[in-house]
Amino acid sequence: MGLTAEQTSKFIEAGPHRLHYHEAGEGPALLMIHGGGPGAGGWSNYRRNIDALSQHFRVIIPDLPGFSRSDKPIIEGSLYKFFADSMRDVLDALNVEKAHIVGNSLGGATALKLALDTPERVGRLVLMGPGGGLQLYTPRPSEGVKHLFTYYEGDGPTREKLTGFLDCMVHDRAMITEELFEERLAASNLPGLKESWPFNPSRPPIMEPLWKSYDQIAHPTLIIWGRDDRTVPMDNAWAMLNQIPDVRLHIFGKTGHWAQWERADEFNKLVLGFLD
């Protein structure tokens, strides 16, 4: 029987915020940062990965500020810096000097910003469809990003809106279980979330172009992309591949924005091989 959300659930005071997180395993620290979609949280992003990875690492999976069970502040200034500072505060609060980092989407951009601002705190990087990149060929905004910015508009969260968003996350719609759908719908309706939603079009987030600093990433970096990603399309990978000095790229066919969910077993082996 695998780990459960209840078994791994904890809270911590990290900087100015009270954050919820999941923790399991022993060994080198592995910080896993989730994406920014409606109803997102650490467990919903990485529930298919924590069992395998915690056999080798001390796995730490926070809910970012503004998501799931963490505090929901109004974010001002750079979105990526805000979340990177928050994750640094998590490492400080847990007395972790250095951690490998896995980041998906917004979590990937957060990981990049953390590595740029405090390189000494980061070991290796695993990035799945990270934000902050250079989209070369596909139309902008992407289909998934449009869902992000309209989810709380009008009549607010609905089953239809969440269905549209989740359809963009995976290649195979059958991968979205009823349990996951209901969990994310409930999480997207939590008190305070609509007010603090970082992708509110009435106060557009400041998302700095991290791609301009890719050449400053000194860490060994594994980039993982779903060829069929409709949120952060795969053409974002080429600037990373060209500019990050110590980089490798793995592409999954028939896979969307959630490689860690759709390709969980392969993903876990790939990450363990890279980090070990």
Side-chain angles (χ1 to χ4, degrees):
M1 184 176 178
L3 295 166
T4 67
E6 291 73 21
Q7 286 175 329
T8 57
S9 176
K10 299 181 179 182
F11 284 90
I12 194 169
E13 299 294 330
H17 304 119
R18 184 173 188 261
L19 302 183
H20 177 258
Y21 70 106
H22 297 273
E23 183 176 3
E26 299 178 350
L30 176 59
L31 179 67
M32 304 184 72
I33 311 175
H34 67 78
W43 187 259
S44 70
N45 243 199
Y46 296 119
R47 68 201 305 166
R48 292 189 171 184
N49 316 115
I50 187 172
D51 281 315
L53 299 182
S54 65
Q55 298 300 311
H56 303 266
F57 297 94
R58 178 189 178 188
V59 176
I60 301 163
I61 309 178
D63 293 336
L64 291 169
F67 291 88
S68 194
R69 299 171 69 184
S70 289
D71 281 354
K72 296 173 178 59
I74 302 298
I75 300 171
E76 298 178 350
S78 166
L79 196 66
Y80 301 146
K81 177 172 173 51
F82 175 86
F83 288 122
D85 288 349
S86 178
M87 293 300 96
R88 184 203 61 223
D89 289 340
V90 168
L91 296 180
D92 289 344
L94 294 175
N95 297 312
V96 174
E97 291 296 324
K98 191 172 188 177
H100 300 307
I101 305 183
V102 172
N104 176 222
S105 195
L106 172 61
T110 300
L112 283 165
K113 182 62 175 170
L114 184 61
L116 288 167
D117 287 354
T118 54
E120 72 281 359
R121 306 297 297 271
V122 177
R124 292 186 167 221
L125 288 169
V126 179
L127 308 171
M128 303 90 76
L134 180 62
Q135 196 164 316
L136 293 171
Y137 310 120
T138 49
R140 292 177 289 175
S142 69
E143 185 179 355
V145 168
K146 290 178 183 177
H147 284 288
L148 279 181
F149 277 88
T150 58
Y151 189 75
Y152 287 99
E153 294 298 287
D155 52 359
T158 65
R159 302 183 73 87
E160 291 72 25
K161 286 183 180 180
L162 186 60
T163 296
F165 172 77
L166 293 178
D167 281 347
C168 287
M169 295 297 104
V170 294
H171 175 264
D172 181 3
R173 183 64 176 80
M175 294 295 295
I176 303 298
T177 64
E178 187 64 24
E179 178 187 13
L180 178 67
F181 184 91
E182 295 298 335
E183 177 185 297
R184 292 198 61 133
L185 183 62
S188 72
N189 279 285
L190 289 171
L193 208 159
K194 179 178 180 180
E195 291 72 24
S196 67
W197 184 236
F199 303 104
N200 189 330
S202 66
R203 54 172 196 280
I206 299 172
M207 295 184 283
E208 60 191 280
L210 298 176
W211 62 270
K212 293 184 177 181
S213 303
Y214 282 163
D215 60 341
Q216 299 173 34
I217 299 292
H219 312 78
T221 302
L222 171 63
I223 306 167
I224 298 174
W225 232 289
R227 182 196 61 199
D228 309 291
D229 192 330
R230 291 184 285 155
T231 301
V232 184
M234 193 182 68
D235 56 322
N236 282 268
W238 309 135
M240 304 185 79
L241 191 61
N242 285 330
Q243 295 182 55
I244 297 177
D246 189 355
V247 66
R248 62 281 288 150
L249 171 64
H250 189 99
I251 298 171
F252 286 111
K254 295 185 177 180
T255 305
H257 194 50
W258 285 351
Q260 77 281 4
W261 179 272
E262 288 194 271
R263 299 285 183 171
D265 290 342
E266 293 175 86
F267 173 88
N268 294 338
K269 292 176 183 177
L270 187 64
V271 171
L272 286 171
F274 173 66
L275 295 183
D276 283 345

